[in-house]
Amino acid sequence: MLRLILILLVFIVLDFYTFQTFKVLFKSNIIAYSYIFVSILILGNFIYQIFTFDRSNGIPLRFSIAFSLLVLFYVPKLFVAVTLFGEDVYRLFSRLFSGNAEVLKTSNYISGRRKFISQIALGVAAVPFASILYGIFKGKYNFKVLKYTLHFEDLPEAFNGYKITQISDIHSGSFDNKDKVSYAVDLINEQKSDVILFTGDMVNNKAEEMKPYINVFSKLKAKDGLYSVLGNHDYGDYVHWKSSEEKQQNLEDLKGIQKEIGFNLLLNEHKFIERNGERLAIVGVENWGAGGFKKAGDLKKAATGIDKNDFKILLSHDPSHWEKEVVKDDYHYHLTLSGHTHGMQFGIEIPGWFKWSPVKWRYKYWAGIYEELGQFINVNRGFGYLAFPGRVGIWPEITVIELKKGTKPA
């Protein structure tokens, strides 16, 4: 309850400052109070959706719409509030130090708000508003191919130049444009990688979500095949089932769909890919996540039968697994591929230079390539989207990784 009260107070502060902007710029009670009405409507609808959320069918469309409107209208208000709060601080200190403290007793403080600052605040807020609007209508299908080259001294010679395409977090239950998804599948095939690896969350909750897209993803082709693991959403843990048998059947149906598409689903097991008498191991664990997520992954079981000196590529949906268990394992997993974070579907990124998202406060490894103790992890930003039907700054990703033998050139 305390958390809810604090959140509501934040919304009230945001609306207080934004209301001032409208009052100063438009000097119209009709516009100002229309703003209040719309804000109450959007916030009230979102609260209503939360308290009437029916988990039997996952995330309903009406909740996604309510969440989209909340993000679209309240994130820009944060920029307005920060701008005007900065002016408040400036006015407070400048007038205190000038010795004119009487202004602090002025009842009509809003009228003292400078029009110029209000225009700046609204102009600044227009940038995230337009960005979020773009993310909802275009950004969620703005697929990017990110390419990396990783060097390993102990890579088998036969696999020098080996190309991997990784996709993750399809979340097929969220899609609303089959043509865009088909375009992305064609983009994956255009990479002509040796193997395609999928790191979990094929659906939001139910296997039936993937049925309309079976024929689309069945077009995926790679010389050495397709391999996959399960993500936390694939188990159906986030909906209410009539029975445990129904839930288990849903999981079996999803396994069947993965097989129909052509994926070799790895459930705490491994497969070897062989070339010219040499091999590398594709190791796949079930979901293992810190912070309350399912811990079905069994790394020891998955590695049974693998030599310690084998070159290993691990598929593990949640990057917290790499941080907590994998990177310190004696077996030395050369490359781990994960997803899960989506990069929060929101952030600022200049490829190769800068990346930021609020999700970094939750996950140490949240997007891209990281190296620890001579081992690498790639955290894919995700193919699809969940809850918020859009992406802002953090685009849907297709990762292509080329393995090279030797040390990285200086």
Side-chain angles (χ1 to χ4, degrees):
M1 180 58 71
L2 178 60
R3 181 180 297 179
L4 180 61
I5 293 173
L6 291 174
I7 292 173
L8 285 175
L9 284 174
V10 170
F11 282 113
I12 290 171
V13 170
L14 296 182
D15 276 320
F16 169 74
Y17 274 109
T18 310
F19 175 77
Q20 289 186 36
T21 300
F22 276 77
K23 285 282 287 183
V24 169
L25 290 180
F26 300 104
K27 299 187 183 301
S28 167
N29 287 334
I30 294 176
I31 293 177
Y33 290 108
S34 293
Y35 159 79
I36 293 176
F37 174 76
V38 171
S39 295
I40 291 173
L41 194 65
I42 291 171
L43 184 56
N45 181 48
F46 180 71
I47 294 172
Y48 172 77
Q49 298 300 334
I50 289 177
F51 284 102
T52 59
F53 197 98
D54 181 8
R55 290 189 62 186
S56 61
N57 290 305
I59 299 174
L61 178 61
R62 57 187 177 86
F63 178 84
S64 293
I65 293 173
F67 186 40
S68 298
L69 290 172
L70 187 80
V71 172
L72 180 63
F73 283 92
Y74 273 90
V75 170
K77 290 179 185 182
L78 177 62
F79 288 81
V80 171
V82 169
T83 304
L84 297 191
F85 179 74
E87 189 209 7
D88 279 344
V89 173
Y90 172 78
R91 291 170 69 191
L92 174 65
F93 280 94
S94 63
R95 292 179 180 180
L96 276 177
F97 286 109
S98 69
N100 184 14
E102 286 297 315
V103 71
L104 301 178
K105 300 177 182 179
T106 302
S107 58
N108 193 11
Y109 185 78
I110 294 177
S111 64
R113 181 74 69 191
R114 286 179 290 177
K115 184 177 180 180
F116 175 67
I117 297 298
S118 296
Q119 289 173 329
I120 290 177
L122 213 57
V124 170
V127 175
F129 182 85
S131 299
I132 294 166
L133 208 58
Y134 174 84
I136 292 172
F137 289 99
K138 296 288 186 179
K140 61 188 177 185
Y141 294 122
N142 186 21
F143 294 97
K144 300 296 183 183
V145 178
L146 302 184
K147 297 184 178 182
Y148 305 97
T149 300
L150 300 180
H151 293 78
F152 303 89
E153 292 186 8
D154 56 348
L155 178 71
E157 184 63 43
F159 291 92
N160 187 27
Y162 196 76
K163 283 178 65 178
I164 298 163
T165 288
Q166 180 201 1
I167 56 174
S168 191
D169 299 87
I170 290 173
H171 288 289
S172 56
S174 298
F175 292 145
D176 56 14
N177 191 321
K178 198 170 185 178
D179 290 339
K180 294 291 187 181
V181 177
S182 184
Y183 159 77
V185 168
D186 290 340
L187 193 58
I188 293 169
N189 285 333
E190 286 175 14
Q191 307 312 310
K192 299 186 183 302
S193 290
D194 296 286
V195 67
I196 295 174
L197 305 176
F198 170 60
T199 46
D201 276 2
M202 180 166 281
V203 297
N204 293 346
N205 296 290
K206 295 185 175 182
E208 64 187 34
E209 298 167 11
M210 192 63 185
K211 288 182 179 179
Y213 297 95
I214 292 175
N215 62 332
V216 175
F217 284 92
S218 293
K219 297 177 183 177
L220 289 173
K221 303 296 178 186
K223 180 167 48 178
D224 289 332
L226 287 64
Y227 295 87
S228 65
V229 292
L230 297 174
N232 55 299
H233 280 268
D234 294 324
Y235 296 91
D237 287 343
Y238 307 122
V239 296
H240 291 146
W241 301 92
K242 294 178 182 177
S243 65
S244 58
E245 289 78 15
E246 183 184 28
K247 180 181 178 181
Q248 182 60 37
Q249 185 58 53
N250 176 72
L251 181 57
E252 295 305 317
D253 290 344
L254 183 62
K255 292 177 182 178
I257 288 173
Q258 292 223 21
K259 184 176 181 180
E260 186 176 349
I261 291 172
F263 282 108
N264 294 287
L265 179 60
L266 302 176
L267 302 169
N268 294 324
E269 55 190 323
H270 66 271
K271 299 287 185 182
F272 288 110
I273 296 176
E274 299 187 2
R275 284 189 173 185
N276 301 330
E278 295 182 304
R279 69 184 189 180
L280 61 76
I282 305 293
V283 187
V285 295
E286 294 196 50
N287 191 79
W288 192 105
F293 287 103
K294 180 183 287 291
K295 291 181 172 62
D298 189 333
L299 191 59
K300 298 300 181 185
K301 180 181 178 182
T304 302
I306 297 177
D307 189 274
K308 189 175 182 178
N309 295 318
D310 279 323
F311 191 90
K312 296 171 284 294
I313 299 173
L314 174 67
L315 312 186
S316 181
H317 177 69
D318 192 317
S320 65
H321 186 213
W322 190 71
E323 178 186 0
K324 302 295 184 182
E325 290 200 340
V326 177
V327 75
K328 296 179 182 179
D329 192 277
D330 290 339
Y331 254 48
H332 188 87
Y333 289 85
H334 299 78
L335 173 62
T336 297
L337 302 178
S338 297
H340 182 63
T341 72
H342 299 205
M344 203 176 169
Q345 298 169 210
F346 183 89
I348 302 170
E349 185 165 12
I350 304 173
W353 291 89
F354 176 81
K355 63 182 178 183
W356 177 88
S357 169
V359 78
K360 69 176 293 182
W361 297 324
R362 172 67 176 81
Y363 290 95
K364 182 178 180 180
Y365 309 102
W366 60 274
I369 297 285
Y370 302 88
E371 182 181 5
E372 296 283 351
L373 302 177
Q375 301 163 85
F376 292 93
I377 183 173
N378 180 63
V379 184
N380 185 284
R381 293 159 181 80
F383 184 94
Y385 52 92
L386 180 69
F388 173 63
R391 282 180 174 266
V392 182
I394 304 293
W395 311 120
E397 175 182 344
I398 298 164
T399 313
V400 178
I401 298 174
E402 184 177 8
L403 307 180
K404 299 291 285 187
K405 185 174 179 63
T407 57
K408 182 179 180 180

